[in-house]
Structures are given as structure tokens and as C-alpha cells.
């Protein structure tokens, strides 16, 4: 068991948390959620002991071992991949090093022999004889092939290093596992492997993630960091989100159909708890919702943005035709003879590791870049609006406030009109007079979404729009794009977002010609790819 008692933290003059009391149990996975800047990662640092709280204590059993996902991807560059993973159990690695040093001595004494015998006993107790086998299994499972297991860490790319550090955090059967954004940069296969591993392990798992699919797959409980408080609720993220929204509605209408709302909420709880079809979800495995009471439902004070796109005109029959597009960037052919035809109503997710190719294609389609070969043609009724991956040029050096910034992209420049769009993105009151150049990454994305809503285009191209957004904003964007009646082209790393929004998947394999084009869900596309091998 892991327990937080009366935790408070004064950080940079502000009170981040006060009087936090939480108990974490083995065989449970806890997802920490909250708005950007709420203190999710900071809470992990307090739990790990890296950051002392202003008040309170963190306690765990003496026999428990805590493992933390390392965030410094260059820390182990001088070590081999295998050694880096085994370092996940610090004491085991220390024993291995001391043993090797003793056995390498030319003047091996009786005293050395006694010490070696002690080390061998502890080595066996810690599972040392199986250490390399376990490390290899973790590495292979997460997607690091056997031929790289004894390479130096410095020879790996960024994504491979992340996978090795994940294997390190999972190595040696730790009692407590702390993971901060573990799915960042992971491919679908590796993410599914990680989900299965965490569902099956019996440790206390505490994870911070913006990946809703991942949180839904592994979490038995949600810890909501909101307004200086940290409250724990049963269920995964979707259950928390739905019940939180319903509870907020109930609180806003306490004197209006109160009993009806309560019955609706209780029925939702009953149906969710009885759903046995999602066998992979940890919530079903734990049956934690069976005894859930009404008073346990979250009543978060967090605000949700509203995203809604309304095209000025309906698209005609002809949308987009792409024929033989090729593009080479910095000597790498990122697009090679790409052809496809877009039908009315298509919402296409561009997926895969070839992110440079996806960005190049979008820039070509909106006229920011020319192809080396091939051509494309939009239908005469189509108007496009583009959300770029890098929005620096829209804000860098701009001296005006948010109202002035947004007015550049609007036919109606009255403050009341522009406030409406900024308000949807949670910029209210004097927030609209904030200088555009000082915005955070998430605030810039919300401004860009306001700009996109103003465009009233019937074809939207979005390149990584969920970067820097919190879970509430990601959910709002997903809802808005699902309701959008126009054509959509987008690229995100969020598995659930793709499944919710798209009806067609296109992948541009790097180093291969053409593209993989599949009509259907992302999960079906992944299965279809496996069957093609």
C-alpha cells in the first residue's frame, strides 16, 4: 500500500495542493488527470521522493520497491541497452557490478570469497539468474529487437530510447510503478503491449497520460487534480468524464428535475458496471464499480471548451483527387507516387511513422509547398482551412492582444463577435487582452482552433492538433470534429481520437511507394495490416 497523508505544496508562491489524502492499493492502476499546469507530473515527483512536499508525508512498506519512468533520454548513453534495463532494479545491478569486480581480482582472498557468497545469495533472491531473460522479454515485447539488446544506448534513436526506459521501469517486478506520459512516441503495437502488461501486473501503477484510449484500457481509478485538490474516483477516464459532465448538469439544475437526473445517473452507473463486453479494460477485471455510490461521482469544477465547425457552404460531389504525388525533403523521399480519391463525407486519418511525409502532403494540398512530381485537384465547391503542426509563425513577434490577433482572420472584427469564438476556447473576461506572444503551447492551440472555426471551410486539414491540449480540450475537439459535416484530413497520435473521428485510414510507408488506404476504423486497419503480412 502507498499512502499520501495531508500533502500540501507551495510552488513558486502559489499553493498547488492542500490537504491531499490518498491511498493506492496493489493490483490497481491510477490515472492522474487535470488541466495543463494543474500539477499532475509534480504529484508523481512528490510520490517518488524527488520533490519534498511543503507539508505531509508519503509512506510505503519497507519491502516495497518503487520504479519511475526516467525522463532524461540521454542519461544512460554510456551503458548498453541490457544494462540500462537491469538498472531498473538498482540493488540487483549494484550486486552484479560488485560480483564482477570481486571475481576479476587477481588476489582473490578468503574475505573476498565470503563477500562473494553473500552477494550470490542476495543475487539469487532478487532473481538475478533470470535478469537478462526477463530484460530481453520486456525489450522484445516493447519493440526493441534482439540484435539491439547489447548495443550502446547512444546508438539508438529517441523512440527506441523511450522504449528501453519503459522496459527499465517495468523490470524486476516493482511493487509501485510511476509512469509520466509513457505512450509518447510509441507505435500502436508497443502501446497495446504496454496496456496488456499493466492490466496483468499486480503492482500499484500510477500514470499521467493524455492518451484517453490508454487510460480507458488500463485504469481502475482516476485521480482528478483540480483547484488545489486531488480526489480519487472509481472507473476509467470515459466513466469519469461522462459522470462528471452529468454531475455538473445535476448541480446546475438542483431545483429542476432533480429526481429525474439522479435516476438517470444511477441508471448510467448500473449499465456501465454491468458491461462485461470490454474484457481488456481493467475496470471490468477489478469490478470496482459494483458498489459505487452516488456520492462517489466526481463533481469537477473544470471547464470544458466548445469546438464547433460550421461550413459556409455544402461541398459538391467532387472533393479531391491526388495523382502520383512525390516529394523529397533533405535527401529523403517522404512521399513516393501517392494517389487517392476523396469522397464527400470522408474523414481521413493520416497515420504511421512517416510524419514528415504527412506534413509535406498537407502543405502541398494547401499550396504552401510544391510536389516534385504528380498533381492534385480540389473540387470547385471546396474551401480549405489548415491547422499546421508548427504554429510559430502565427504568434512570433506579434504585438497585439488576442482580440486583435483573431481579427486578422475574421470578416467581422467587432469585439463582441470575436469574444464569442475566444470564449468557446475558455478565453473570457480580461483574458482576451492578453498579449498573443506570451501564450502557452496549449493556449496557442486553442487560439488556432478559434481561427479554424472562423474560417467556415468545408474541408479541414489538421496536423497534430491535440499536441499541448489537456484531456478536456482533446475530448471537445473530438466531439466537434465528429459533428463536422465537411471533409476532414488529420493526423494525431491519439488512438481513441482516430477511432472516434475517422471513417478512413491512409498510411504513407517511409521507403515504400504509394500508400495504404483502408475504409473503416483504426482498430480494423491495424488488424488488416497484420493479416497482409
Amino acid at each position: 500500500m502507498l499512502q499520501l497523508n495531508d500533502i500540501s505544496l507551495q510552488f513558486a508562491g502559489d499553493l498547488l495542493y492542500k490537504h491531499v489524502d490518498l491511498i493506492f492499493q496493489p493490483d490497481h492502476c491510477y490515472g492522474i488527470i487535470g488541466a495543463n499546469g494543474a500539477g499532475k507530473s509534480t504529484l508523481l515527483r512528490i510520490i517518488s521522493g524527488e520533490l519534498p512536499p511543503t507539508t505531509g508525508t508519503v509512506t510505503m512498506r519497507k519491502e516495497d520497491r518503487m520504479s519511475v519512468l526516467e525522463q532524461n533520454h540521454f542519461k544512460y548513453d554510456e551503458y548498453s541497452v541490457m544494462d540500462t534495463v537491469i538498472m531498473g532494479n538498482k540493488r540487483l545491478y549494484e550486486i552484479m557490478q560488485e560480483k564482477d569486480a570481486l571475481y576479476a581480482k587477481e588476489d582473490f582472498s578468503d574475505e573476498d570469497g565470503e563477500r562473494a557468497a553473500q552477494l550470490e545469495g542476495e543475487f539469487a533472491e532478487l532473481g538475478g539468474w533470470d535478469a537478462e531473460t526477463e530484460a530481453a522479454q520486456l525489450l522484445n515485447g516493447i519493440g526493441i529487437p534482439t540484435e539491439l539488446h547489447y548495443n550502446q544506448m547512444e546508438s539508438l534513436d529517441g523512440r527506441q530510447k523511450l522504449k528501453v526506459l519503459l522496459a527499465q521501469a517495468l523490470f524486476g517486478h516493482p511493487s509501485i510503478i510511476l509512469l509520466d506520459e509513457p505512450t509518447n512516441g510509441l507505435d500502436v503495437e508497443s502501446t497495446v503491449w504496454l496496456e496488456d502488461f499493466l492490466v496483468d501486473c499486480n503492482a500499484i501503477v500510477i500514470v499521467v497520460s493524455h492518451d484517453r484510449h490508454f487510460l480507458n484500457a488500463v485504469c481502475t481509478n482516476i485521480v482528478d487534480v483540480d483547484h488545489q485538490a486531488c480526489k480519487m474516483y472509481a472507473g476509467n477516464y470515459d466513466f469519469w468524464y461522462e459522470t462528471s459532465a452529468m454531475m455538473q448538469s445535476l448541480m446546475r439544475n438542483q431545483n429542476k428535475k432533480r429526481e429525474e437526473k439522479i435516476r438517470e445517473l444511477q441508471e448510467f452507473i448500473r449499465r456501465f458496471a454491468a458491461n462485461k463486453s470490454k474484457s481488456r479494460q481493467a475496470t471490468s477485471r477489478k469490478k470496482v464499480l459494483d458498489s459505487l455510490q452516488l456520492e462517489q461521482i466526481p463533481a469537477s469544477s473544470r471547464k470544458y471548451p466548445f469546438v464547433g465547425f460550421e461550413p459556409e457552404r455544402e461541398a459538391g460531389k467532387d472533393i479531391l483527387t491526388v495523382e502520383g504525388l512525390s516529394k523529397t525533403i533533405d535527401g529523403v523521399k517522404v512521399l513516393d507516387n501517392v494517389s487517392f480519391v476523396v469522397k464527400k463525407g470522408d474523414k481521413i486519418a493520416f497515420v504511421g511513422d512517416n510524419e514528415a511525409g504527412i506534413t509535406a502532403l498537407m502543405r502541398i494540398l494547401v499550396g504552401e509547398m510544391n510536389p516534385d512530381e504528380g498533381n492534385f485537384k480540389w473540387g470547385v465547391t471546396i474551401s480549405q482551412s489548415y491547422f499546421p503542426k508548427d504554429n510559430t509563425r502565427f504568434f512570433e513577434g506579434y504585438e497585439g492582444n488576442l482580440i486583435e490577433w483573431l481579427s486578422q482572420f475574421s470578416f467581422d472584427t467587432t469585439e463582441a463577435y470575436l469574444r464569442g469564438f475566444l470564449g468557446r476556447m475558455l478565453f473570457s473576461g480580461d483574458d482576451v487582452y492578453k498579449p498573443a506572444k506570451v501564450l502557452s503551447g496549449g493556449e496557442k492551440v486553442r487560439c488556432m482552433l478559434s481561427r479554424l472555426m472562423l474560417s467556415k471551410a468545408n474541408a479541414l486539414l489538421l496536423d497534430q492538433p491535440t499536441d499541448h491540449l489537456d484531456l478536456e480540450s482533446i475530448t471537445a475537439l473530438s466531439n466537434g470534429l465528429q459533428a463536422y459535416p465537411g471533409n476532414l484530413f488529420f493526423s494525431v497520435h491519439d488512438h481513441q481520437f482516430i477511432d472516434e473521428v475517422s471513417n478512413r485510414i491512409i498510411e504513407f510507408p517511409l521507403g515504400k511507394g504509394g500508400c495504404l488506404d483502408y475504409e473503416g476504423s483504426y482498430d480494423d486497419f491495424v488488424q488488416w495490416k497484420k493479416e497482409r503480412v
Side-chain angles (χ1 to χ4, degrees):
M1 186 176 73
L2 175 70
Q3 189 163 353
L4 276 60
N5 301 293
D6 195 27
I7 295 292
S8 298
L9 181 66
Q10 193 88 17
F11 194 76
D14 296 322
L15 187 63
L16 201 56
Y17 324 113
K18 61 181 179 182
H19 308 309
V20 173
D21 296 294
L22 296 171
I23 296 176
F24 300 95
Q25 301 283 1
D27 207 26
H28 285 63
C29 179
Y30 302 86
I32 301 179
I33 65 171
N36 290 340
K40 301 183 294 295
S41 297
T42 301
L43 186 62
L44 285 189
R45 292 174 63 202
I46 290 174
I47 294 172
S48 70
E50 179 188 348
L51 180 67
T54 305
T55 67
T57 58
V58 178
T59 58
M60 56 187 277
R61 298 182 307 174
K62 289 183 178 179
E63 63 268 28
D64 284 341
R65 181 173 69 83
M66 182 181 292
S67 182
V68 181
L69 175 59
E70 175 63 53
Q71 298 297 306
N72 182 355
H73 295 181
F74 305 99
K75 183 175 180 179
Y76 300 94
D77 277 1
E78 62 184 286
Y79 298 97
S80 71
V81 169
M82 182 62 67
D83 281 352
T84 298
V85 175
I86 295 175
M87 283 180 190
N89 188 332
K90 183 179 179 182
R91 179 56 187 156
L92 176 60
Y93 186 75
E94 289 173 349
I95 292 171
M96 293 171 65
Q97 295 300 103
E98 189 176 350
K99 277 199 334 165
D100 290 346
L102 281 173
Y103 292 139
K105 292 177 67 173
E106 294 183 3
D107 55 342
F108 190 82
S109 64
D110 290 343
E111 187 176 320
D112 292 331
E114 292 177 4
R115 177 58 179 162
Q118 293 174 350
L119 292 172
E120 289 290 1
E122 191 175 355
F123 178 77
E125 288 178 5
L126 293 174
W129 297 112
D130 298 320
E132 290 199 8
T133 300
E134 181 191 345
Q137 290 174 342
L138 289 169
L139 288 166
N140 287 327
I142 203 71
I144 300 295
T146 304
E147 58 267 24
L148 298 181
H149 290 186
Y150 292 91
N151 286 14
Q152 291 297 109
M153 284 287 287
E154 64 182 356
S155 68
L156 305 186
D157 62 33
R159 289 189 175 189
Q160 290 171 330
K161 286 181 178 179
L162 171 62
K163 292 181 177 182
V164 175
L165 294 177
L166 260 175
Q168 180 193 73
L170 304 177
F171 174 78
H173 309 286
S175 308
I176 303 167
I177 303 173
L178 307 184
L179 303 174
D180 193 351
E181 298 292 357
T183 62
N184 277 1
L186 289 189
D187 51 66
V188 175
E189 291 79 7
S190 299
T191 301
V192 170
W193 179 89
L194 179 61
E195 290 171 357
D196 290 339
F197 183 95
L198 295 179
V199 166
D200 291 336
C201 82
N202 58 8
I204 295 171
V205 180
I206 307 175
V207 59
V208 171
S209 176
H210 284 84
D211 187 330
R212 293 169 301 151
H213 184 277
F214 179 75
L215 290 175
N216 283 328
V218 304
C219 288
T220 61
N221 299 78
I222 293 296
V223 176
D224 181 24
V225 182
D226 186 27
H227 286 203
Q228 302 178 346
C230 300
K231 296 181 180 180
M232 185 183 295
Y233 303 100
N236 62 12
Y237 176 76
D238 273 356
F239 184 77
W240 175 89
Y241 177 82
E242 294 291 342
T243 53
S244 175
M246 293 172 71
M247 197 64 181
Q248 285 188 351
S249 176
L250 175 62
M251 292 171 67
R252 285 194 300 266
N253 299 279
Q254 287 185 353
N255 298 318
K256 182 180 178 181
K257 300 183 179 179
R258 179 178 175 84
E259 293 301 322
E260 179 183 334
K261 283 286 184 180
I262 290 175
R263 286 195 297 271
E264 179 184 354
L265 184 56
Q266 290 173 331
E267 172 64 15
F268 177 82
I269 294 171
R270 187 194 64 76
R271 286 188 290 106
F272 192 96
N275 183 3
K276 301 297 190 294
S277 64
K278 300 180 179 179
S279 59
R280 287 189 62 251
Q281 290 189 3
T283 48
S284 296
R285 178 167 63 90
K286 303 293 184 185
K287 299 185 176 70
V288 292
L289 300 179
D290 289 348
S291 60
L292 194 61
Q293 302 298 316
L294 181 63
E295 59 268 21
Q296 294 175 276
I297 298 300
S300 174
S301 60
R302 192 172 303 125
K303 296 180 180 179
Y304 298 85
F306 172 79
V307 180
F309 302 101
E310 300 176 0
E312 193 167 36
R313 64 181 296 185
E314 183 180 352
K317 182 179 178 181
D318 295 328
I319 308 298
L320 173 66
T321 300
V322 175
E323 295 181 339
L325 284 188
S326 296
K327 184 66 181 181
T328 298
I329 298 176
D330 296 330
V332 178
K333 199 165 194 177
V334 296
L335 297 172
D336 185 6
N337 194 30
V338 170
S339 300
F340 58 90
V341 177
V342 179
K343 304 184 299 296
K344 185 175 181 178
D346 276 347
K347 294 182 177 179
I348 302 174
F350 295 141
V351 303
D353 292 335
N354 186 8
E355 294 187 10
I358 293 171
T359 296
L361 176 64
M362 289 196 184
R363 294 187 64 192
I364 288 170
L365 293 179
V366 297
E368 289 188 1
M369 179 183 287
N370 294 319
D372 297 333
E373 300 174 30
N375 57 77
F376 66 94
K377 183 178 181 181
W378 290 100
V380 294
T381 63
I382 304 303
S383 57
Q384 313 96 38
S385 191
Y386 174 47
F387 181 105
K389 180 188 295 187
D390 182 2
N391 58 39
T392 303
R393 71 180 189 270
F394 289 90
F395 298 94
E396 196 170 51
Y398 187 80
E399 297 297 329
N401 60 38
L402 299 193
I403 290 286
E404 293 165 338
W405 181 87
L406 191 60
S407 69
Q408 303 173 96
F409 313 107
S410 177
F411 67 91
D412 186 340
T413 59
T414 61
E415 181 169 322
Y417 181 75
L418 298 173
R419 268 186 177 274
F421 286 90
L422 289 170
R424 294 181 181 183
M425 290 292 103
L426 306 182
F427 295 106
S428 59
D430 289 342
D431 290 343
V432 299
Y433 302 124
K434 182 185 295 188
K437 64 182 180 182
V438 303
L439 297 179
S440 67
E443 288 173 328
K444 288 178 180 177
V445 171
R446 285 189 278 128
C447 280
M448 292 295 290
L449 290 174
S450 294
R451 169 184 173 269
L452 208 65
M453 287 189 281
L454 273 172
S455 72
K456 299 188 180 297
N458 56 22
L460 301 178
L461 298 90
L462 290 78
D463 195 357
Q464 301 301 338
T466 62
D467 285 359
H468 305 293
L469 289 182
D470 56 26
L471 283 165
E472 290 71 45
S473 299
I474 291 172
T475 303
L477 178 58
S478 172
N479 291 339
L481 291 176
Q482 289 177 63
Y484 176 58
N487 281 88
L488 179 64
F489 310 80
F490 70 98
S491 171
V492 296
H493 293 130
D494 189 315
H495 184 141
Q496 183 167 339
F497 191 100
I498 297 172
D499 257 347
E500 289 173 344
V501 175
S502 67
N503 60 13
R504 182 174 171 186
I505 310 295
I506 297 182
E507 182 179 61
F508 311 102
L510 193 59
K512 299 180 181 179
C515 60
L516 295 177
D517 192 344
Y518 182 84
E519 291 196 23
S521 73
Y522 189 37
D523 284 335
D524 289 344
F525 169 74
V526 172
Q527 185 61 38
W528 175 71
K529 276 185 66 178
K530 289 180 180 178
E531 294 170 355
R532 283 168 51 93
V533 176

